[in-house]
Amino acid sequence: DEPTSGLDSNSAFQLMLTLKELAKLGHAIAVIIHQPRTEIFHMVDHLLLLSKGQVLYDGDPHSVRKYLEERPSVGKLPAETNIADWIMDTIILDENSKDGSQLPLMWKDHVQNVRISVLESGTMRSSGGKASMTETPELMCRTLSTLKELEKEPKYARGFWTQLKLLYVRSARQQRGQRLTRVALILTFSWTLFTSLCWGYIPDTTSYTHSRSSLIFFLLIAQSNAVVTSSLVIFTSERHLLSRERAKKLYSVLPYFMAMTASDMMNHLRCYLLLDM
């Protein structure tokens, strides 16, 4: 609700650019904006205009000017005027007119007329006439997607490698402060000291080769389990986030767990590198 309120023109534009990028990723974003700058207005994909709770336009923002200028009570858009300001002024003048708000009634009539036109065009086309559905005025007569259309849509908004890359970057940034802590460094130092002592006490002879290989195997298994266990612990706290973002078709479970595991592995390596330094 009014995300650009209190922001200057440039900050509001940058905020809307961010929301536009989120919308491209599959998020459904609905915003209420009062008097946006022209660039922000042209970023909108769908425009809904209300007058005292009644709809007076619902459709493509690029067609709103043509629609309003065709109304008898609305004047032309003045030169060098922000279209959003002109729309606001038009709505206010309509609300304050002596006859009351007429634009919502005109919209209802417009919707009804176009629906009738669509039906007539369909009838003429089925009977061999030249009229077609594409010749009717554009209207937001929304129809449900067919099963074939839904099957053609990609399952996720981005490919597997893009999902993995973005999830890894996000996970690395989120866990950097959680993993690289004083406690983590102390545990890593203790673990390194313990394994070093074990390795040092094994005699450097061929008869103890099996003992050394067993210790290496133990190190690999312990480190791998530590990475997987930490990922599972984090998953419980991010389960709702995963379910919500999967429902929006942003990514699947496999790249999520791979990114979490890779991020934990890098954090463990950073701890050892810091101790070596």
Side-chain angles (χ1 to χ4, degrees):
D1 186 9
E2 301 184 26
T4 58
S5 296
L7 301 178
D8 59 81
S9 179
N10 183 66
S11 299
F13 180 68
Q14 295 299 324
L15 174 60
M16 293 303 299
L17 281 178
T18 302
L19 295 179
K20 185 71 173 180
E21 292 299 324
L22 291 175
K24 291 180 180 178
L25 292 176
H27 293 275
I29 300 177
V31 296
I32 300 175
I33 304 180
H34 292 163
Q35 295 178 317
R37 55 189 281 185
T38 305
E39 292 83 354
I40 294 178
F41 180 83
H42 291 302
M43 291 169 59
V44 177
D45 297 318
H46 191 91
L47 179 64
L48 174 64
L49 298 179
L50 300 177
S51 176
K52 295 182 178 180
Q54 294 182 318
V55 178
L56 62 88
Y57 185 80
D58 182 12
D60 186 3
H62 299 91
S63 302
V64 64
R65 175 182 176 181
K66 177 182 178 182
Y67 168 77
L68 290 177
E69 288 182 341
E70 291 175 351
R71 304 309 106 190
S73 58
V74 179
K76 300 293 184 180
L77 173 64
E80 299 183 1
T81 301
N82 184 358
I83 185 172
D85 293 335
W86 173 71
I87 292 174
M88 291 291 294
D89 294 339
T90 300
I91 295 174
I92 293 174
L93 290 175
D94 180 69
E95 292 176 349
N96 296 332
S97 63
K98 296 180 180 179
D99 299 331
S101 298
Q102 298 297 316
L103 290 179
L105 300 177
M106 294 179 184
W107 174 253
K108 291 180 181 179
D109 294 338
H110 176 72
V111 170
Q112 187 65 25
N113 292 335
V114 175
R115 284 178 177 171
I116 294 174
S117 178
V118 169
L119 293 176
E120 292 178 350
S121 299
T123 303
M124 292 182 64
R125 187 178 62 176
S126 61
S127 61
K130 296 182 179 180
S132 64
M133 300 287 281
T134 57
E135 294 175 354
T136 60
E138 182 181 0
L139 176 67
M140 300 73 229
C141 295
R142 303 180 185 85
T143 58
L144 296 176
S145 300
T146 63
L147 182 59
K148 292 183 178 180
E149 291 175 344
L150 293 175
E151 290 176 348
K152 291 180 180 179
E153 293 183 358
K155 188 174 182 180
Y156 296 102
R158 292 293 183 269
F160 175 83
W161 296 109
T162 303
Q163 297 177 31
L164 182 61
K165 176 183 176 181
L166 295 177
L167 288 171
Y168 172 78
V169 172
R170 186 181 72 174
S171 178
R173 291 177 179 176
Q174 290 177 343
Q175 298 181 19
R176 186 176 301 171
Q178 300 174 1
R179 299 301 180 188
L180 298 180
T181 60
R182 183 179 300 177
V183 175
L185 291 175
I186 293 175
L187 291 176
T188 304
F189 174 76
S190 302
W191 173 258
T192 305
L193 180 62
F194 172 74
T195 54
S196 299
L197 291 174
C198 292
W199 184 271
Y201 275 102
I202 299 177
D204 191 11
T205 59
T206 56
S207 59
Y208 289 91
T209 302
H210 179 71
S211 299
R212 290 182 178 275
S213 60
S214 299
L215 180 59
I216 294 175
F217 176 77
F218 169 74
L219 293 175
L220 294 175
I221 294 299
Q223 292 298 313
S224 302
N225 288 337
V227 172
V228 175
T229 303
S230 60
S231 299
L232 292 176
V233 172
I234 295 175
F235 172 72
T236 57
S237 61
E238 294 189 357
R239 182 176 180 179
H240 296 292
L241 176 64
L242 173 63
S243 300
R244 184 170 65 250
E245 292 181 341
R246 278 195 66 213
K248 296 178 180 178
K249 298 183 178 181
L250 296 182
Y251 53 81
S252 60
V253 177
L254 180 59
Y256 172 81
F257 273 108
M258 290 181 62
M260 295 289 291
T261 304
S263 176
D264 282 337
M265 291 175 61
M266 292 303 300
N267 286 327
H268 279 76
L269 290 175
R270 289 191 185 100
C271 288
Y272 287 111
L273 292 175
L274 288 175
L275 289 175
D276 292 339
M277 296 173 62

